[in-house]
Amino acid sequence: MEKGKIIPFLIIGIFSFVFGYFVGVSQPLYSENIVIQYFKNPKPYSVEDVSLPITYYGTVCGKYIGYQIPPHNVNEEARNSFYRYFKLKDKDPKKAESYLKRGLFLTEYLISQSQKEQVEVNGRTISFIIWTYNFEFPLYNLSRGWKGSLCQAGCLKTLYLAYLATEDKRYLKYANLALNAFEVPVEKGGLLKLRRYKNNSYYWFPEYASENPPYVLNGFITATLWIGEFGDKTNNSEARYLYKRGLKSIETFLPMYDAGNWSYYDALGHKCNRHYEHLQRLQMLWLYNITKKEMYLKYYEKWKE
C-alpha cells in the first residue's frame, strides 16, 4: 500500500473505532448472543425520561449471567452523547442540550458506581477510583467484582468529555483519580501488570485484570492510546509516561499475536473472529500513523479480514 493512501484509511478507521467499537467489546467468543437493551432510570434519580443501557449475556460457559449493566456500555453511550452534543451545539442547540443532559446523567451514574480506593505503592500513597463488574465472567475465570483497563479507560475518556462540555473541574478531578488506577498493581486492586519478557518487565494494562491475565491485545492498545490522548489534552505528565510505557509493550509483544495471515485475540492462543481481526488491523493503521513505525504497517497489510 502506498503511504499516501494511509490517511483516508485512518479517518475511516477512527470513525469506526469511536462509534462502533465498544458494543460487546469484552465478549470475543460469543458476541453474537449478546443483546443491548435499556432499563428505565430508578426513581432516586432526578433526571426524567432517560435509560440505562443493559446487556443480556444469557449463559456463558455454563454460567447464567442474564441481564447486567456493565460500565463499559454505560461509558460508551455517554461518550456518544457527548460527541453528538459537540456536533450539534452550534447547529441545533435544543437537540444538543438533550444529548448533553443524557451524557451527564450517564456520567453521574458512572461516578456513583465507582469504588474509591487508597493504597501504598513503593512508599507512595495513591488514591484512585475504579469500576468493577457485578457478575462473574467464566470465560476467563473471573469472579464477581473483576476489573478491566478497557472499561477504566472508557470511563476516563467519558469524564474528560464531561469536563470539556461543562468546564466543571469536578469531572477532571474524577478523571485524574481514574487515571491513578493505572499506576496501581493488579495485586493491590489496580490495573497495572508487569509482563515479563527476556528478563525485562513491561507495563501492561489488562482488559481482564487478574493475577494471570489473558493479555488481550485490542483492549490494551485502546487503553494505552486513550491514556495518551488524555495526557496530551490535559498536559498530564503521568498519563504521558504510562502511554510511552504502553507503546513500548505493544512494540515488544506484538509479534506474539501474529498468526500468519491472521491475528491472535489474546496470549492464550485464541484467534480473532472477523470483528476483532478488522479492529486489530485498524489499530495497526492507527499506531502506524502515530508512531511511523513500519512494523505496524507490516501487520496491517499482513493480517487479512
Side-chain angles (χ1 to χ4, degrees):
M1 174 182 288
E2 296 178 9
K3 293 181 182 177
K5 296 181 180 179
I6 294 299
I7 298 301
F9 276 93
L10 177 63
I11 294 172
I12 294 171
I14 291 177
F15 181 84
S16 300
F17 206 90
V18 170
F19 292 98
Y21 175 29
F22 284 104
V23 176
V25 74
S26 296
Q27 295 79 36
L29 303 183
Y30 53 92
S31 58
E32 66 277 4
N33 297 324
I34 292 175
V35 179
I36 305 299
Q37 301 187 17
Y38 291 89
F39 178 72
K40 285 294 183 182
N41 57 297
K43 288 184 178 180
Y45 290 95
S46 60
V47 181
E48 297 180 356
D49 299 323
V50 290
S51 307
L52 289 172
I54 68 172
T55 302
Y56 180 66
Y57 286 85
T59 299
V60 179
C61 299
K63 176 72 176 181
Y64 180 72
I65 298 177
Y67 291 93
Q68 301 292 337
I69 306 179
H72 69 267
N73 280 346
V74 178
N75 70 52
E76 181 205 15
E77 186 149 339
R79 292 195 309 275
N80 285 338
S81 296
F82 288 128
Y83 293 142
R84 293 186 181 102
Y85 163 72
F86 292 127
K87 183 178 180 179
L88 294 172
K89 68 176 183 176
D90 295 324
K91 300 177 183 177
D92 190 342
K94 185 176 181 180
K95 192 171 184 179
E97 188 66 24
S98 69
Y99 283 120
L100 176 61
K101 184 178 180 181
R102 176 149 181 76
L104 292 176
F105 167 77
L106 294 170
T107 302
E108 291 296 336
Y109 173 80
L110 286 170
I111 291 173
S112 75
Q113 298 302 301
S114 66
Q115 294 187 10
K116 298 179 181 179
E117 306 286 349
Q118 183 172 292
V119 298
E120 294 287 328
V121 179
N122 298 325
R124 175 186 167 206
T125 301
I126 299 180
S127 298
F128 63 99
I129 58 174
I130 198 164
W131 286 266
T132 63
Y133 286 78
N134 194 34
F135 54 90
E136 298 176 36
F137 196 61
L139 184 64
Y140 287 127
N141 298 316
L142 297 171
S143 301
R144 180 177 176 177
W146 61 276
K147 307 154 187 173
S149 66
L150 186 56
C151 171
Q152 187 82 7
C155 291
L156 170 68
K157 184 161 185 144
T158 295
L159 289 162
Y160 173 73
L161 290 173
Y163 165 70
L164 195 63
T166 63
E167 296 185 355
D168 185 341
K169 291 185 178 180
R170 172 173 165 268
Y171 294 120
L172 188 59
K173 182 187 97 171
Y174 279 117
N176 284 314
L177 286 171
L179 177 71
N180 288 350
F182 294 102
E183 300 180 62
V184 177
V186 167
E187 293 77 9
K188 292 195 173 187
L191 290 167
L192 172 61
K193 188 70 181 177
L194 296 181
R195 189 174 180 181
R196 300 284 297 175
Y197 180 66
K198 291 185 177 180
N199 296 321
N200 293 315
S201 294
Y202 297 86
Y203 276 32
W204 194 279
F205 315 121
E207 181 176 349
Y208 302 94
S210 65
E211 186 175 344
N212 296 297
Y215 295 111
V216 171
L217 179 62
N218 76 82
F220 174 58
I221 291 175
T222 301
T224 297
L225 292 174
W226 281 3
I227 289 169
E229 180 185 47
F230 179 75
D232 287 342
K233 291 183 180 299
T234 62
N235 197 30
N236 186 300
S237 59
E238 186 58 36
R240 288 175 171 170
Y241 174 77
L242 292 168
Y243 168 67
K244 290 178 181 178
R245 295 295 298 264
L247 282 183
K248 182 65 177 175
S249 296
I250 295 169
E251 183 180 342
T252 300
F253 291 100
L254 187 58
M256 301 179 191
Y257 293 85
D258 180 20
N261 64 348
W262 207 258
S263 64
Y264 290 110
Y265 178 85
D266 57 25
L268 302 179
H270 294 123
K271 285 188 176 182
C272 288
N273 60 25
R274 288 190 177 275
H275 169 77
Y276 286 97
E277 183 70 3
H278 175 68
L279 173 60
Q280 290 188 174
R281 289 187 75 234
L282 290 179
Q283 288 180 321
M284 295 302 101
L285 196 57
W286 194 343
L287 286 163
Y288 171 74
N289 279 275
I290 290 172
T291 67
K292 303 305 178 187
K293 292 191 175 182
E294 293 289 334
M295 70 176 296
Y296 297 120
L297 187 58
K298 179 189 80 173
Y299 286 118
Y300 170 78
E301 294 175 336
K302 183 179 183 183
W303 295 341
K304 307 298 182 183
E305 294 185 54

